[in-house]
Amino acid sequence: MRIPILKLHNYLLISIQIDLDDQSAIQFQEDLLNKIHKSGATGVVIDLTSVDIIDSFIAKVLGDVVTMSDLMGAKVVLTGIQPAVAMTLIELGIHMQDVQTALDLEQGLIKLRQELEG
């Protein structure tokens, strides 16, 4: 199942509403990078509110998505990170200290706008 990627002005909005398995995570990574390339988006908000738990592979893919998006010129804000997801990321050594986070999608958009538009 593909994760919908919505475009709003110069931003891409993603709300992950499914349980991520390895195949859907890789598909999401490819879809997002292609959408950044085609749309010229400068910012991405990835909402993880519905993601209760992740394994090591999904955590690595998520970290890679953030890094790859940045390399393509799109700043990423992660929103709605659940406690178990935060703990898993840290336990696996996936530190995202340069990544903006917010409690929800609305706050994520505000942070993204502040960072990109000053």
Side-chain angles (χ1 to χ4, degrees):
M1 175 177 259
R2 285 205 149 122
I3 297 168
I5 301 172
L6 307 175
K7 187 172 188 309
L8 177 68
H9 306 291
N10 251 6
Y11 307 138
L12 298 177
L13 308 177
I14 301 105
S15 181
I16 299 176
Q17 300 288 320
I18 62 169
D19 289 330
L20 288 173
D21 57 31
D22 293 358
Q23 183 177 356
S24 61
I26 293 296
Q27 186 67 58
F28 166 64
Q29 178 177 291
E30 291 174 10
D31 289 348
L32 178 57
L33 296 176
N34 286 329
K35 189 84 168 187
I36 291 169
H37 178 72
K38 289 177 184 172
S39 70
T42 56
V44 177
V45 178
I46 302 173
D47 182 47
L48 301 170
T49 302
S50 297
V51 178
D52 294 323
I53 194 158
I54 58 174
D55 63 20
S56 59
F57 182 76
I58 305 299
K60 182 188 178 319
V61 170
L62 186 59
D64 290 349
V65 162
V66 170
T67 303
M68 291 174 190
S69 297
D70 191 48
L71 286 171
M72 294 182 71
K75 201 74 176 159
V76 175
V77 175
L78 298 176
T79 65
I81 298 174
Q82 300 298 318
V85 172
M87 288 187 284
T88 301
L89 290 170
I90 298 305
E91 287 171 1
L92 294 171
I94 299 173
H95 300 283
M96 297 188 190
Q97 56 265 33
D98 296 331
V99 179
Q100 292 283 338
T101 59
L103 291 176
D104 58 34
L105 191 58
E106 183 179 5
Q107 291 299 314
L109 276 170
I110 291 169
K111 276 195 174 187
L112 193 58
R113 192 173 299 128
Q114 287 172 342
E115 183 150 335
L116 294 174
E117 298 172 9

